[in-house]
Amino acid sequence: SIPTVQKKIVLLGQSSVGKSSLVYQFCKGEFFENQEPTIGASFLTKELDFSTHKVSLQIWDTAGQERYESLAPMYYRKAAAALVVFDLNEAYTLNKAKDKIQELSTNGEPNMIITLVGNKCDLERRINSEEVKEYCEENGIMYFETSAKTGKGVEEVFQKISRKFKLPKK
Ligand code: GDP
Ligand code: MG
């Protein structure tokens, strides 16, 4: 059978930016307009098939703890990648995301893949993408824009990250 690489991915960012919605859209192809989706388990899994191997993602979503600004480093311990999410229509969520990226660069796993995700691109945006892209280039992180509502860009985020997860060399 085809070998499988298992990796932990965490989502970080302000409350209401759409973290749970992104996980739901990617793992189940569903979106909830008014209701905050409740995630019973602490993570959802999704398998991606590459020709030489499979990548099994363990995607961790917060259970609302981010409201109290007390997401313990425990949460992102041993994570291979972090999706730091902000809302393209709420400028302050970008500042918070930048703080998080700073924190991850200092306290996160040394080789953690950090990505910045601007969500809700289906709405009228209030954030200039060019500035965000510049920030990401300077800091060597990937940048994506998504809509958990329409699904736009969602698959691509996880695909691009997963492509970097190679089989351990024999
Ligand atoms: P979380 O607190 O970061 O997990 O955010 P949620 O996933 O609970 O989403 C917060 C609210 O934003 C919910 O009402 C969602 O329906 C809505 N939402 C999430 N993503 C999108 C999106 O891409 N577009 C739009 N229009 N609404 C979204
Ligand atoms: Mg949530």
PDB file of all heavy atoms in Angstrom, residues 33-72:
ATOM      1  N   GLU A  33     -24.079  29.674   7.506  1.00  0.00           N
ATOM      2  CA  GLU A  33     -24.196  31.125   7.400  1.00  0.00           C
ATOM      3  C   GLU A  33     -24.253  31.819   8.755  1.00  0.00           C
ATOM      4  O   GLU A  33     -23.517  32.750   9.019  1.00  0.00           O
ATOM      5  CB  GLU A  33     -25.445  31.470   6.583  1.00  0.00           C
ATOM      6  CG  GLU A  33     -25.561  32.927   6.205  1.00  0.00           C
ATOM      7  CD  GLU A  33     -24.553  33.356   5.126  1.00  0.00           C
ATOM      8  OE1 GLU A  33     -24.562  32.742   4.034  1.00  0.00           O
ATOM      9  OE2 GLU A  33     -23.786  34.267   5.390  1.00  0.00           O
ATOM     10  N   ASN A  34     -25.156  31.371   9.605  1.00  0.00           N
ATOM     11  CA  ASN A  34     -25.423  32.124  10.832  1.00  0.00           C
ATOM     12  C   ASN A  34     -24.936  31.453  12.093  1.00  0.00           C
ATOM     13  O   ASN A  34     -24.855  32.070  13.134  1.00  0.00           O
ATOM     14  CB  ASN A  34     -26.928  32.365  10.968  1.00  0.00           C
ATOM     15  CG  ASN A  34     -27.450  33.191   9.834  1.00  0.00           C
ATOM     16  OD1 ASN A  34     -26.891  34.241   9.522  1.00  0.00           O
ATOM     17  ND2 ASN A  34     -28.492  32.708   9.181  1.00  0.00           N
ATOM     18  N   GLN A  35     -24.646  30.217  11.954  1.00  0.00           N
ATOM     19  CA  GLN A  35     -24.366  29.444  13.135  1.00  0.00           C
ATOM     20  C   GLN A  35     -22.886  29.131  13.230  1.00  0.00           C
ATOM     21  O   GLN A  35     -22.277  28.716  12.263  1.00  0.00           O
ATOM     22  CB  GLN A  35     -25.138  28.133  13.027  1.00  0.00           C
ATOM     23  CG  GLN A  35     -25.453  27.483  14.326  1.00  0.00           C
ATOM     24  CD  GLN A  35     -26.198  26.186  14.060  1.00  0.00           C
ATOM     25  OE1 GLN A  35     -26.906  26.049  13.066  1.00  0.00           O
ATOM     26  NE2 GLN A  35     -26.011  25.229  14.924  1.00  0.00           N
ATOM     27  N   GLU A  36     -22.353  29.326  14.376  1.00  0.00           N
ATOM     28  CA  GLU A  36     -20.960  28.930  14.540  1.00  0.00           C
ATOM     29  C   GLU A  36     -20.914  27.418  14.589  1.00  0.00           C
ATOM     30  O   GLU A  36     -21.542  26.796  15.428  1.00  0.00           O
ATOM     31  CB  GLU A  36     -20.381  29.513  15.830  1.00  0.00           C
ATOM     32  CG  GLU A  36     -18.901  29.246  15.922  1.00  0.00           C
ATOM     33  CD  GLU A  36     -18.203  30.093  16.967  1.00  0.00           C
ATOM     34  OE1 GLU A  36     -18.693  31.196  17.258  1.00  0.00           O
ATOM     35  OE2 GLU A  36     -17.185  29.647  17.478  1.00  0.00           O
ATOM     36  N   PRO A  37     -20.193  26.829  13.651  1.00  0.00           N
ATOM     37  CA  PRO A  37     -20.177  25.366  13.655  1.00  0.00           C
ATOM     38  C   PRO A  37     -19.501  24.834  14.917  1.00  0.00           C
ATOM     39  O   PRO A  37     -18.463  25.328  15.324  1.00  0.00           O
ATOM     40  CB  PRO A  37     -19.356  25.001  12.425  1.00  0.00           C
ATOM     41  CG  PRO A  37     -18.823  26.261  11.867  1.00  0.00           C
ATOM     42  CD  PRO A  37     -19.346  27.403  12.632  1.00  0.00           C
ATOM     43  N   THR A  38     -20.115  23.877  15.508  1.00  0.00           N
ATOM     44  CA  THR A  38     -19.533  23.279  16.698  1.00  0.00           C
ATOM     45  C   THR A  38     -18.681  22.099  16.255  1.00  0.00           C
ATOM     46  O   THR A  38     -19.153  21.236  15.526  1.00  0.00           O
ATOM     47  CB  THR A  38     -20.637  22.750  17.631  1.00  0.00           C
ATOM     48  OG1 THR A  38     -21.531  23.818  17.865  1.00  0.00           O
ATOM     49  CG2 THR A  38     -20.052  22.264  18.942  1.00  0.00           C
ATOM     50  N   ILE A  39     -17.469  22.092  16.672  1.00  0.00           N
ATOM     51  CA  ILE A  39     -16.617  20.970  16.343  1.00  0.00           C
ATOM     52  C   ILE A  39     -16.448  20.128  17.590  1.00  0.00           C
ATOM     53  O   ILE A  39     -15.857  20.564  18.569  1.00  0.00           O
ATOM     54  CB  ILE A  39     -15.276  21.437  15.751  1.00  0.00           C
ATOM     55  CG1 ILE A  39     -15.562  22.112  14.402  1.00  0.00           C
ATOM     56  CG2 ILE A  39     -14.308  20.286  15.617  1.00  0.00           C
ATOM     57  CD1 ILE A  39     -14.372  22.351  13.536  1.00  0.00           C
ATOM     58  N   GLY A  40     -17.036  18.961  17.551  1.00  0.00           N
ATOM     59  CA  GLY A  40     -17.033  18.104  18.727  1.00  0.00           C
ATOM     60  C   GLY A  40     -15.646  17.621  19.059  1.00  0.00           C
ATOM     61  O   GLY A  40     -15.158  17.804  20.173  1.00  0.00           O
ATOM     62  N   ALA A  41     -14.994  17.054  18.060  1.00  0.00           N
ATOM     63  CA  ALA A  41     -13.643  16.571  18.281  1.00  0.00           C
ATOM     64  C   ALA A  41     -12.684  17.746  18.294  1.00  0.00           C
ATOM     65  O   ALA A  41     -13.010  18.823  17.817  1.00  0.00           O
ATOM     66  CB  ALA A  41     -13.262  15.601  17.171  1.00  0.00           C
ATOM     67  N   SER A  42     -11.499  17.529  18.811  1.00  0.00           N
ATOM     68  CA  SER A  42     -10.537  18.633  18.843  1.00  0.00           C
ATOM     69  C   SER A  42      -9.855  18.800  17.487  1.00  0.00           C
ATOM     70  O   SER A  42      -9.242  19.795  17.222  1.00  0.00           O
ATOM     71  CB  SER A  42      -9.504  18.406  19.939  1.00  0.00           C
ATOM     72  OG  SER A  42      -9.261  17.023  20.093  1.00  0.00           O
ATOM     73  N   PHE A  43      -9.983  17.797  16.634  1.00  0.00           N
ATOM     74  CA  PHE A  43      -9.437  17.956  15.282  1.00  0.00           C
ATOM     75  C   PHE A  43     -10.245  17.135  14.284  1.00  0.00           C
ATOM     76  O   PHE A  43     -10.946  16.198  14.646  1.00  0.00           O
ATOM     77  CB  PHE A  43      -7.967  17.525  15.225  1.00  0.00           C
ATOM     78  CG  PHE A  43      -7.714  16.081  15.559  1.00  0.00           C
ATOM     79  CD1 PHE A  43      -7.835  15.096  14.584  1.00  0.00           C
ATOM     80  CD2 PHE A  43      -7.347  15.702  16.840  1.00  0.00           C
ATOM     81  CE1 PHE A  43      -7.608  13.762  14.887  1.00  0.00           C
ATOM     82  CE2 PHE A  43      -7.114  14.366  17.154  1.00  0.00           C
ATOM     83  CZ  PHE A  43      -7.242  13.402  16.186  1.00  0.00           C
ATOM     84  N   LEU A  44     -10.153  17.521  13.025  1.00  0.00           N
ATOM     85  CA  LEU A  44     -10.737  16.740  11.941  1.00  0.00           C
ATOM     86  C   LEU A  44      -9.587  16.225  11.087  1.00  0.00           C
ATOM     87  O   LEU A  44      -8.521  16.837  11.055  1.00  0.00           O
ATOM     88  CB  LEU A  44     -11.658  17.608  11.082  1.00  0.00           C
ATOM     89  CG  LEU A  44     -12.977  18.056  11.721  1.00  0.00           C
ATOM     90  CD1 LEU A  44     -13.732  18.980  10.774  1.00  0.00           C
ATOM     91  CD2 LEU A  44     -13.831  16.866  12.090  1.00  0.00           C
ATOM     92  N   THR A  45      -9.801  15.115  10.423  1.00  0.00           N
ATOM     93  CA  THR A  45      -8.730  14.604   9.574  1.00  0.00           C
ATOM     94  C   THR A  45      -9.163  14.635   8.115  1.00  0.00           C
ATOM     95  O   THR A  45     -10.349  14.553   7.804  1.00  0.00           O
ATOM     96  CB  THR A  45      -8.342  13.154   9.926  1.00  0.00           C
ATOM     97  OG1 THR A  45      -9.503  12.338   9.833  1.00  0.00           O
ATOM     98  CG2 THR A  45      -7.749  13.063  11.313  1.00  0.00           C
ATOM     99  N   LYS A  46      -8.161  14.761   7.255  1.00  0.00           N
ATOM    100  CA  LYS A  46      -8.418  14.744   5.814  1.00  0.00           C
ATOM    101  C   LYS A  46      -7.188  14.171   5.135  1.00  0.00           C
ATOM    102  O   LYS A  46      -6.063  14.507   5.502  1.00  0.00           O
ATOM    103  CB  LYS A  46      -8.686  16.171   5.345  1.00  0.00           C
ATOM    104  CG  LYS A  46      -8.855  16.327   3.875  1.00  0.00           C
ATOM    105  CD  LYS A  46     -10.295  16.338   3.455  1.00  0.00           C
ATOM    106  CE  LYS A  46     -10.420  16.656   1.969  1.00  0.00           C
ATOM    107  NZ  LYS A  46     -11.797  16.591   1.500  1.00  0.00           N
ATOM    108  N   GLU A  47      -7.434  13.302   4.182  1.00  0.00           N
ATOM    109  CA  GLU A  47      -6.329  12.666   3.491  1.00  0.00           C
ATOM    110  C   GLU A  47      -6.180  13.231   2.094  1.00  0.00           C
ATOM    111  O   GLU A  47      -7.164  13.368   1.372  1.00  0.00           O
ATOM    112  CB  GLU A  47      -6.584  11.158   3.410  1.00  0.00           C
ATOM    113  CG  GLU A  47      -5.337  10.332   3.612  1.00  0.00           C
ATOM    114  CD  GLU A  47      -5.664   8.855   3.766  1.00  0.00           C
ATOM    115  OE1 GLU A  47      -6.235   8.277   2.828  1.00  0.00           O
ATOM    116  OE2 GLU A  47      -5.365   8.301   4.837  1.00  0.00           O
ATOM    117  N   LEU A  48      -4.947  13.573   1.734  1.00  0.00           N
ATOM    118  CA  LEU A  48      -4.674  14.051   0.390  1.00  0.00           C
ATOM    119  C   LEU A  48      -3.802  13.034  -0.323  1.00  0.00           C
ATOM    120  O   LEU A  48      -2.853  12.518   0.249  1.00  0.00           O
ATOM    121  CB  LEU A  48      -3.959  15.409   0.435  1.00  0.00           C
ATOM    122  CG  LEU A  48      -4.746  16.557   1.064  1.00  0.00           C
ATOM    123  CD1 LEU A  48      -3.913  17.828   1.090  1.00  0.00           C
ATOM    124  CD2 LEU A  48      -6.034  16.806   0.292  1.00  0.00           C
ATOM    125  N   ASP A  49      -4.155  12.790  -1.569  1.00  0.00           N
ATOM    126  CA  ASP A  49      -3.496  11.752  -2.340  1.00  0.00           C
ATOM    127  C   ASP A  49      -2.515  12.355  -3.330  1.00  0.00           C
ATOM    128  O   ASP A  49      -2.921  13.057  -4.249  1.00  0.00           O
ATOM    129  CB  ASP A  49      -4.578  10.975  -3.107  1.00  0.00           C
ATOM    130  CG  ASP A  49      -4.224   9.511  -3.216  1.00  0.00           C
ATOM    131  OD1 ASP A  49      -3.021   9.212  -3.215  1.00  0.00           O
ATOM    132  OD2 ASP A  49      -5.159   8.685  -3.284  1.00  0.00           O
ATOM    133  N   PHE A  50      -1.225  12.101  -3.103  1.00  0.00           N
ATOM    134  CA  PHE A  50      -0.234  12.473  -4.103  1.00  0.00           C
ATOM    135  C   PHE A  50       0.193  11.165  -4.761  1.00  0.00           C
ATOM    136  O   PHE A  50      -0.107  10.089  -4.251  1.00  0.00           O
ATOM    137  CB  PHE A  50       0.933  13.207  -3.437  1.00  0.00           C
ATOM    138  CG  PHE A  50       0.512  14.526  -2.830  1.00  0.00           C
ATOM    139  CD1 PHE A  50       0.130  14.597  -1.493  1.00  0.00           C
ATOM    140  CD2 PHE A  50       0.457  15.674  -3.593  1.00  0.00           C
ATOM    141  CE1 PHE A  50      -0.291  15.809  -0.934  1.00  0.00           C
ATOM    142  CE2 PHE A  50       0.034  16.885  -3.038  1.00  0.00           C
ATOM    143  CZ  PHE A  50      -0.334  16.953  -1.709  1.00  0.00           C
ATOM    144  N   SER A  51       0.878  11.240  -5.888  1.00  0.00           N
ATOM    145  CA  SER A  51       1.091   9.980  -6.612  1.00  0.00           C
ATOM    146  C   SER A  51       1.992   9.008  -5.860  1.00  0.00           C
ATOM    147  O   SER A  51       1.764   7.811  -5.875  1.00  0.00           O
ATOM    148  CB  SER A  51       1.637  10.258  -8.012  1.00  0.00           C
ATOM    149  OG  SER A  51       2.777  11.069  -7.915  1.00  0.00           O
ATOM    150  N   THR A  52       2.999   9.548  -5.162  1.00  0.00           N
ATOM    151  CA  THR A  52       3.961   8.672  -4.491  1.00  0.00           C
ATOM    152  C   THR A  52       3.591   8.363  -3.049  1.00  0.00           C
ATOM    153  O   THR A  52       4.106   7.427  -2.452  1.00  0.00           O
ATOM    154  CB  THR A  52       5.358   9.327  -4.472  1.00  0.00           C
ATOM    155  OG1 THR A  52       5.193  10.665  -3.980  1.00  0.00           O
ATOM    156  CG2 THR A  52       5.975   9.341  -5.850  1.00  0.00           C
ATOM    157  N   HIS A  53       2.732   9.173  -2.460  1.00  0.00           N
ATOM    158  CA  HIS A  53       2.397   9.017  -1.041  1.00  0.00           C
ATOM    159  C   HIS A  53       1.079   9.731  -0.730  1.00  0.00           C
ATOM    160  O   HIS A  53       0.589  10.532  -1.533  1.00  0.00           O
ATOM    161  CB  HIS A  53       3.517   9.605  -0.187  1.00  0.00           C
ATOM    162  CG  HIS A  53       3.715  11.079  -0.382  1.00  0.00           C
ATOM    163  ND1 HIS A  53       4.270  11.607  -1.522  1.00  0.00           N
ATOM    164  CD2 HIS A  53       3.392  12.130   0.400  1.00  0.00           C
ATOM    165  CE1 HIS A  53       4.300  12.927  -1.427  1.00  0.00           C
ATOM    166  NE2 HIS A  53       3.762  13.277  -0.272  1.00  0.00           N
ATOM    167  N   LYS A  54       0.581   9.453   0.460  1.00  0.00           N
ATOM    168  CA  LYS A  54      -0.596  10.185   0.936  1.00  0.00           C
ATOM    169  C   LYS A  54      -0.185  11.072   2.091  1.00  0.00           C
ATOM    170  O   LYS A  54       0.751  10.760   2.823  1.00  0.00           O
ATOM    171  CB  LYS A  54      -1.656   9.205   1.432  1.00  0.00           C
ATOM    172  CG  LYS A  54      -2.399   8.508   0.328  1.00  0.00           C
ATOM    173  CD  LYS A  54      -3.460   7.608   0.918  1.00  0.00           C
ATOM    174  CE  LYS A  54      -4.171   6.839  -0.190  1.00  0.00           C
ATOM    175  NZ  LYS A  54      -5.114   5.865   0.388  1.00  0.00           N
ATOM    176  N   VAL A  55      -0.896  12.186   2.246  1.00  0.00           N
ATOM    177  CA  VAL A  55      -0.685  13.042   3.406  1.00  0.00           C
ATOM    178  C   VAL A  55      -1.977  13.038   4.206  1.00  0.00           C
ATOM    179  O   VAL A  55      -3.045  13.373   3.691  1.00  0.00           O
ATOM    180  CB  VAL A  55      -0.294  14.479   2.988  1.00  0.00           C
ATOM    181  CG1 VAL A  55      -0.214  15.381   4.212  1.00  0.00           C
ATOM    182  CG2 VAL A  55       1.042  14.476   2.255  1.00  0.00           C
ATOM    183  N   SER A  56      -1.851  12.606   5.446  1.00  0.00           N
ATOM    184  CA  SER A  56      -3.014  12.595   6.315  1.00  0.00           C
ATOM    185  C   SER A  56      -2.911  13.779   7.260  1.00  0.00           C
ATOM    186  O   SER A  56      -2.012  13.850   8.104  1.00  0.00           O
ATOM    187  CB  SER A  56      -3.055  11.276   7.089  1.00  0.00           C
ATOM    188  OG  SER A  56      -4.078  11.325   8.041  1.00  0.00           O
ATOM    189  N   LEU A  57      -3.828  14.723   7.104  1.00  0.00           N
ATOM    190  CA  LEU A  57      -3.782  15.940   7.909  1.00  0.00           C
ATOM    191  C   LEU A  57      -4.661  15.802   9.136  1.00  0.00           C
ATOM    192  O   LEU A  57      -5.806  15.362   9.049  1.00  0.00           O
ATOM    193  CB  LEU A  57      -4.263  17.139   7.087  1.00  0.00           C
ATOM    194  CG  LEU A  57      -3.470  17.479   5.834  1.00  0.00           C
ATOM    195  CD1 LEU A  57      -4.144  18.649   5.115  1.00  0.00           C
ATOM    196  CD2 LEU A  57      -2.033  17.813   6.186  1.00  0.00           C
ATOM    197  N   GLN A  58      -4.101  16.212  10.253  1.00  0.00           N
ATOM    198  CA  GLN A  58      -4.870  16.318  11.491  1.00  0.00           C
ATOM    199  C   GLN A  58      -5.068  17.813  11.678  1.00  0.00           C
ATOM    200  O   GLN A  58      -4.123  18.528  12.015  1.00  0.00           O
ATOM    201  CB  GLN A  58      -3.995  15.794  12.619  1.00  0.00           C
ATOM    202  CG  GLN A  58      -4.650  14.792  13.503  1.00  0.00           C
ATOM    203  CD  GLN A  58      -3.743  14.409  14.655  1.00  0.00           C
ATOM    204  OE1 GLN A  58      -3.092  15.240  15.266  1.00  0.00           O
ATOM    205  NE2 GLN A  58      -3.726  13.132  14.953  1.00  0.00           N
ATOM    206  N   ILE A  59      -6.268  18.298  11.422  1.00  0.00           N
ATOM    207  CA  ILE A  59      -6.487  19.746  11.423  1.00  0.00           C
ATOM    208  C   ILE A  59      -7.154  20.184  12.722  1.00  0.00           C
ATOM    209  O   ILE A  59      -8.312  19.845  12.987  1.00  0.00           O
ATOM    210  CB  ILE A  59      -7.333  20.160  10.203  1.00  0.00           C
ATOM    211  CG1 ILE A  59      -6.683  19.609   8.918  1.00  0.00           C
ATOM    212  CG2 ILE A  59      -7.458  21.669  10.133  1.00  0.00           C
ATOM    213  CD1 ILE A  59      -7.534  19.783   7.686  1.00  0.00           C
ATOM    214  N   TRP A  60      -6.402  20.951  13.511  1.00  0.00           N
ATOM    215  CA  TRP A  60      -6.877  21.374  14.828  1.00  0.00           C
ATOM    216  C   TRP A  60      -7.517  22.740  14.766  1.00  0.00           C
ATOM    217  O   TRP A  60      -6.941  23.702  14.267  1.00  0.00           O
ATOM    218  CB  TRP A  60      -5.695  21.408  15.816  1.00  0.00           C
ATOM    219  CG  TRP A  60      -5.194  20.053  16.160  1.00  0.00           C
ATOM    220  CD1 TRP A  60      -4.514  19.203  15.336  1.00  0.00           C
ATOM    221  CD2 TRP A  60      -5.358  19.366  17.414  1.00  0.00           C
ATOM    222  NE1 TRP A  60      -4.235  18.036  16.002  1.00  0.00           N
ATOM    223  CE2 TRP A  60      -4.739  18.110  17.274  1.00  0.00           C
ATOM    224  CE3 TRP A  60      -5.962  19.706  18.626  1.00  0.00           C
ATOM    225  CZ2 TRP A  60      -4.708  17.173  18.296  1.00  0.00           C
ATOM    226  CZ3 TRP A  60      -5.926  18.794  19.653  1.00  0.00           C
ATOM    227  CH2 TRP A  60      -5.305  17.539  19.494  1.00  0.00           C
ATOM    228  N   ASP A  61      -8.716  22.815  15.290  1.00  0.00           N
ATOM    229  CA  ASP A  61      -9.458  24.067  15.346  1.00  0.00           C
ATOM    230  C   ASP A  61      -9.672  24.387  16.821  1.00  0.00           C
ATOM    231  O   ASP A  61      -9.791  23.481  17.634  1.00  0.00           O
ATOM    232  CB  ASP A  61     -10.811  23.860  14.648  1.00  0.00           C
ATOM    233  CG  ASP A  61     -11.621  25.122  14.580  1.00  0.00           C
ATOM    234  OD1 ASP A  61     -11.037  26.216  14.614  1.00  0.00           O
ATOM    235  OD2 ASP A  61     -12.862  25.005  14.489  1.00  0.00           O
ATOM    236  N   THR A  62      -9.694  25.644  17.176  1.00  0.00           N
ATOM    237  CA  THR A  62      -9.923  25.975  18.586  1.00  0.00           C
ATOM    238  C   THR A  62     -11.397  25.780  18.904  1.00  0.00           C
ATOM    239  O   THR A  62     -12.251  25.882  18.036  1.00  0.00           O
ATOM    240  CB  THR A  62      -9.560  27.435  18.908  1.00  0.00           C
ATOM    241  OG1 THR A  62     -10.603  28.269  18.407  1.00  0.00           O
ATOM    242  CG2 THR A  62      -8.238  27.817  18.314  1.00  0.00           C
ATOM    243  N   ALA A  63     -11.680  25.507  20.150  1.00  0.00           N
ATOM    244  CA  ALA A  63     -13.077  25.384  20.573  1.00  0.00           C
ATOM    245  C   ALA A  63     -13.528  26.703  21.186  1.00  0.00           C
ATOM    246  O   ALA A  63     -14.236  26.742  22.177  1.00  0.00           O
ATOM    247  CB  ALA A  63     -13.211  24.234  21.564  1.00  0.00           C
ATOM    248  N   GLY A  64     -13.084  27.798  20.593  1.00  0.00           N
ATOM    249  CA  GLY A  64     -13.501  29.122  21.052  1.00  0.00           C
ATOM    250  C   GLY A  64     -12.580  29.752  22.084  1.00  0.00           C
ATOM    251  O   GLY A  64     -12.819  30.871  22.526  1.00  0.00           O
ATOM    252  N   GLN A  65     -11.486  29.060  22.426  1.00  0.00           N
ATOM    253  CA  GLN A  65     -10.572  29.601  23.451  1.00  0.00           C
ATOM    254  C   GLN A  65      -9.938  30.912  23.011  1.00  0.00           C
ATOM    255  O   GLN A  65      -9.523  31.704  23.850  1.00  0.00           O
ATOM    256  CB  GLN A  65      -9.417  28.644  23.770  1.00  0.00           C
ATOM    257  CG  GLN A  65      -9.764  27.239  24.125  1.00  0.00           C
ATOM    258  CD  GLN A  65      -9.644  26.340  22.914  1.00  0.00           C
ATOM    259  OE1 GLN A  65     -10.180  26.648  21.850  1.00  0.00           O
ATOM    260  NE2 GLN A  65      -8.961  25.221  23.069  1.00  0.00           N
ATOM    261  N   GLU A  66      -9.867  31.133  21.691  1.00  0.00           N
ATOM    262  CA  GLU A  66      -9.196  32.335  21.214  1.00  0.00           C
ATOM    263  C   GLU A  66      -9.909  33.608  21.681  1.00  0.00           C
ATOM    264  O   GLU A  66      -9.324  34.681  21.705  1.00  0.00           O
ATOM    265  CB  GLU A  66      -9.069  32.300  19.684  1.00  0.00           C
ATOM    266  CG  GLU A  66     -10.320  32.617  18.894  1.00  0.00           C
ATOM    267  CD  GLU A  66     -11.242  31.414  18.677  1.00  0.00           C
ATOM    268  OE1 GLU A  66     -11.141  30.444  19.454  1.00  0.00           O
ATOM    269  OE2 GLU A  66     -12.062  31.472  17.744  1.00  0.00           O
ATOM    270  N   ARG A  67     -11.158  33.484  22.084  1.00  0.00           N
ATOM    271  CA  ARG A  67     -11.900  34.624  22.621  1.00  0.00           C
ATOM    272  C   ARG A  67     -11.222  35.189  23.850  1.00  0.00           C
ATOM    273  O   ARG A  67     -11.337  36.360  24.146  1.00  0.00           O
ATOM    274  CB  ARG A  67     -13.312  34.216  23.027  1.00  0.00           C
ATOM    275  CG  ARG A  67     -14.181  33.977  21.860  1.00  0.00           C
ATOM    276  CD  ARG A  67     -15.629  34.329  22.131  1.00  0.00           C
ATOM    277  NE  ARG A  67     -16.352  34.172  20.890  1.00  0.00           N
ATOM    278  CZ  ARG A  67     -16.781  32.994  20.460  1.00  0.00           C
ATOM    279  NH1 ARG A  67     -16.600  31.922  21.188  1.00  0.00           N
ATOM    280  NH2 ARG A  67     -17.396  32.905  19.322  1.00  0.00           N
ATOM    281  N   TYR A  68     -10.571  34.330  24.602  1.00  0.00           N
ATOM    282  CA  TYR A  68      -9.955  34.758  25.856  1.00  0.00           C
ATOM    283  C   TYR A  68      -8.480  35.078  25.673  1.00  0.00           C
ATOM    284  O   TYR A  68      -7.777  35.302  26.628  1.00  0.00           O
ATOM    285  CB  TYR A  68     -10.166  33.676  26.922  1.00  0.00           C
ATOM    286  CG  TYR A  68     -11.604  33.217  26.975  1.00  0.00           C
ATOM    287  CD1 TYR A  68     -11.998  32.019  26.406  1.00  0.00           C
ATOM    288  CD2 TYR A  68     -12.578  34.036  27.561  1.00  0.00           C
ATOM    289  CE1 TYR A  68     -13.321  31.619  26.413  1.00  0.00           C
ATOM    290  CE2 TYR A  68     -13.899  33.647  27.568  1.00  0.00           C
ATOM    291  CZ  TYR A  68     -14.269  32.433  26.992  1.00  0.00           C
ATOM    292  OH  TYR A  68     -15.576  32.057  26.994  1.00  0.00           O
ATOM    293  N   GLU A  69      -8.044  35.091  24.410  1.00  0.00           N
ATOM    294  CA  GLU A  69      -6.654  35.420  24.076  1.00  0.00           C
ATOM    295  C   GLU A  69      -5.657  34.569  24.856  1.00  0.00           C
ATOM    296  O   GLU A  69      -4.583  35.010  25.209  1.00  0.00           O
ATOM    297  CB  GLU A  69      -6.371  36.902  24.360  1.00  0.00           C
ATOM    298  CG  GLU A  69      -7.306  37.828  23.598  1.00  0.00           C
ATOM    299  CD  GLU A  69      -6.568  38.943  22.871  1.00  0.00           C
ATOM    300  OE1 GLU A  69      -5.374  39.122  23.117  1.00  0.00           O
ATOM    301  OE2 GLU A  69      -7.212  39.606  22.043  1.00  0.00           O
ATOM    302  N   SER A  70      -6.041  33.351  25.130  1.00  0.00           N
ATOM    303  CA  SER A  70      -5.170  32.534  25.969  1.00  0.00           C
ATOM    304  C   SER A  70      -4.885  31.193  25.313  1.00  0.00           C
ATOM    305  O   SER A  70      -4.895  30.165  25.949  1.00  0.00           O
ATOM    306  CB  SER A  70      -5.829  32.292  27.319  1.00  0.00           C
ATOM    307  OG  SER A  70      -7.031  31.569  27.125  1.00  0.00           O
ATOM    308  N   LEU A  71      -4.665  31.237  24.007  1.00  0.00           N
ATOM    309  CA  LEU A  71      -4.365  29.972  23.344  1.00  0.00           C
ATOM    310  C   LEU A  71      -2.969  29.501  23.722  1.00  0.00           C
ATOM    311  O   LEU A  71      -1.979  30.099  23.348  1.00  0.00           O
ATOM    312  CB  LEU A  71      -4.461  30.133  21.834  1.00  0.00           C
ATOM    313  CG  LEU A  71      -5.737  29.601  21.207  1.00  0.00           C
ATOM    314  CD1 LEU A  71      -5.615  29.604  19.701  1.00  0.00           C
ATOM    315  CD2 LEU A  71      -6.055  28.206  21.704  1.00  0.00           C
ATOM    316  N   ALA A  72      -2.921  28.454  24.472  1.00  0.00           N
ATOM    317  CA  ALA A  72      -1.647  27.965  24.988  1.00  0.00           C
ATOM    318  C   ALA A  72      -0.751  27.467  23.869  1.00  0.00           C
ATOM    319  O   ALA A  72      -1.236  26.919  22.881  1.00  0.00           O
ATOM    320  CB  ALA A  72      -1.913  26.847  25.978  1.00  0.00           C
TER     321      ALA A  72
END
